[in-house]
Amino acid sequence: MAVRTTITRRITSSSSVLPGLRSMSSWWGNVNPAPKDPILGVTEAFLADPSPDKVNVGVGAYRDDNGKPVVLDCVREAEKRIAGNMNMEYLPMGGSNKMVEETLKLAYGENSDLIKDKRIAAIQALSGTGACRIFADFQKRFSPDSQIYIPVPTWSNHHNIWRDANVPQRTYHYYHPESKGLDFASLMDDVKNAPNGSFFLLHACAHNPTGVDPTIEQWKEISYQFKVKGHFAFFDMAYQGFASGDPERDAKSIRIFLEDGHLIGCSQSYAKNMGLYGQRVGCLSLVCEDEKQAVAVKSQLQQLARPMYSNPPVHGALIVSTILGDPELKQLWLKEVKGMADRIIGMRTSLRENIEKMGSPLSWEHITNQIGMFCYSGMTPEQVDRLTKEFHIYMTRNGRISMAGVTSGNVEYLAKAIHEVTKTA
């Protein structure tokens, strides 16, 4: 006993660590702080600013004309209906069958033959981010030598998702800085020059961050070239209904690919179009050759979800299925999502008109030509820094304006500030 006590005392009191032993204080000594998220960091800086004139046009969440968060009336009514009938049991690994069924109708069409023939493998996911991540893992597992082509620019988290799934990334041209529109010629060249059978990430509508979408005719050309090359199209659709106010119109890119016979993948989210940001409700779907293949693919998607989060949350899924499964509530949702889209479109018009009234020497047509929550303003990082320092206006340094943060109360102030920092450009 005396010998053991002596040895223990020597180990614990010695400043040196014996070979094979690690100091308990050094386990995480090699961990450095992670860089701040470029989007979330904007909100942190905004909240810390005491100025009464401060404006936040960086947040990617809808606000009303008073700058306040919104809970849709259809969501409030759905909450009432499910409140007395709440079930806290686990959902299956694939999530709510009812929610998935209604979600597929939005993407693929109410009377889709693909749905009728049970050719779509689909699971509930943790919003659009979770759907993209599960697909990235699925791609790595079942097409391990493949890579993913991602547009320049794109939502910054896309790069994180495929990176952490260990899928090699390539990029393709998308945005044209001079025209502040689509670089369609370069995009098509990249599609043609990519190896046959490549994976491409496409934004179905309201491209984030640019707000620049292909036209219907351009989508048809893209689909045709994908067919020629045998490429796989994975659509991230985070803004269906929120872009134009019409969910059918916003799904047109997907429908074009389906009409051409593509077996696509699709990520869907209800964060924006139902305002269910914190509920994390989404869906991942893959079109398959037949029902048998769809059953196999779904089983593998569920297996990927199992060690990641096991089961998706139930409450948000109940809200979505209640709204979409009731004709009256669905009509209310369609009215409300159009109202949100129309407000965004109206703010685009107002911002452009106010800047032009200042006598700006620049063209601001791109503000109204672009669509969706975000406007890619064309301002430089240095101009954005001036907006923040001199006018207390916060946005990401790539010049992306969240149009949801623009209101009738601040649009003139925002326009004056933008004119001030760009008039000598």
Side-chain angles (χ1 to χ4, degrees), residues 389-409:
K389 183 178 180 180
E390 299 176 24
F391 299 95
H392 305 277
I393 294 170
Y394 292 82
M395 67 180 72
T396 50
R397 294 189 78 234
N398 60 7
R400 186 196 78 167
I401 299 172
S402 173
M403 295 305 302
V406 183
T407 69
S408 57

Side-chain angles (χ1 to χ4, degrees), residues 41-101:
V42 171
T43 299
E44 290 179 10
F46 169 79
L47 293 174
D49 188 339
S51 172
D53 299 322
K54 64 182 180 179
V55 176
N56 186 1
V57 285
V59 64
Y62 183 75
R63 297 291 184 263
D64 65 16
D65 199 44
N66 295 311
K68 303 297 183 183
V70 173
V71 178
L72 300 185
D73 289 339
C74 62
V75 171
R76 293 185 186 279
E77 179 58 32
E79 290 265 32
K80 292 178 184 177
R81 296 188 187 185
I82 65 179
N85 194 31
M86 179 60 70
N87 185 343
M88 296 295 182
E89 293 295 313
Y90 290 123
L91 284 172
M93 282 188 291
S96 163
N97 291 330
K98 179 64 174 175
M99 191 281 293
V100 169
E101 175 186 324

Side-chain angles (χ1 to χ4, degrees), residues 213-277:
D213 287 348
T215 65
I216 296 299
E217 290 307 312
Q218 288 172 333
W219 273 122
K220 289 179 179 179
E221 289 188 52
I222 295 169
S223 175
Y224 172 77
Q225 197 58 47
F226 267 54
K227 196 76 171 179
V228 170
K229 296 287 294 184
H231 293 332
F232 181 87
F234 183 75
F235 287 92
D236 188 0
M237 186 160 59
Y239 298 96
Q240 187 181 12
F242 196 93
S244 69
D246 180 0
E248 287 295 299
R249 177 179 172 183
D250 292 344
K252 187 61 179 176
S253 58
I254 288 175
R255 307 293 173 78
I256 288 170
F257 271 68
L258 295 177
E259 288 165 7
D260 287 346
H262 292 278
L263 302 181
I264 68 164
C266 183
S267 160
Q268 292 170 262
S269 165
Y270 290 102
K272 307 297 190 301
N273 60 14
M274 282 192 185
L276 298 176
Y277 303 97

Side-chain angles (χ1 to χ4, degrees), residues 5-214:
T5 302
T6 301
I7 292 173
T8 302
R9 187 179 298 116
R10 285 175 180 171
I11 292 175
T12 56
S13 64
S14 175
S15 59
S16 61
V17 180
L18 292 177
L21 294 180
R22 177 191 289 268
S23 169
M24 294 179 70
S25 63
S26 69
W27 280 105
W28 313 118
N30 63 334
V31 178
N32 294 315
K36 286 190 174 183
D37 184 281
I39 299 173
L40 301 181
V42 171
T43 299
E44 290 179 10
F46 169 79
L47 293 174
D49 188 339
S51 172
D53 299 322
K54 64 182 180 179
V55 176
N56 186 1
V57 285
V59 64
Y62 183 75
R63 297 291 184 263
D64 65 16
D65 199 44
N66 295 311
K68 303 297 183 183
V70 173
V71 178
L72 300 185
D73 289 339
C74 62
V75 171
R76 293 185 186 279
E77 179 58 32
E79 290 265 32
K80 292 178 184 177
R81 296 188 187 185
I82 65 179
N85 194 31
M86 179 60 70
N87 185 343
M88 296 295 182
E89 293 295 313
Y90 290 123
L91 284 172
M93 282 188 291
S96 163
N97 291 330
K98 179 64 174 175
M99 191 281 293
V100 169
E101 175 186 324
E102 295 295 339
T103 301
L104 293 182
K105 291 177 185 177
L106 281 181
Y108 297 92
E110 191 76 26
N111 299 305
S112 168
D113 288 335
L114 293 171
I115 297 175
K116 293 175 183 176
D117 296 340
K118 300 181 179 179
R119 288 180 51 197
I120 304 175
I123 63 169
Q124 181 182 335
L126 302 184
S127 202
T129 302
C132 286
R133 179 55 195 267
I134 292 176
F135 175 75
D137 282 332
F138 181 83
Q139 178 185 346
K140 182 64 178 179
R141 179 170 294 184
F142 293 100
S143 188
D145 297 326
S146 67
Q147 53 194 1
I148 184 78
Y149 280 79
I150 295 178
V152 177
T154 193
W155 178 48
S156 59
N157 211 22
H158 281 145
H159 293 289
N160 302 333
I161 290 166
W162 269 269
R163 178 201 66 207
D164 282 5
N166 295 309
V167 176
Q169 298 177 37
R170 300 289 297 274
T171 59
Y172 65 92
H173 289 84
Y174 190 87
Y175 180 72
H176 191 262
E178 286 73 29
S179 68
K180 299 179 180 63
L182 183 67
D183 190 354
F184 185 65
S186 297
L187 184 158
M188 291 301 290
D189 284 343
D190 289 343
V191 170
K192 293 173 183 176
N193 293 329
N196 291 353
S198 293
F199 286 72
F200 275 75
L201 170 66
L202 303 172
H203 295 232
C205 61
H207 180 275
N208 181 2
T210 70
V212 174
D213 287 348

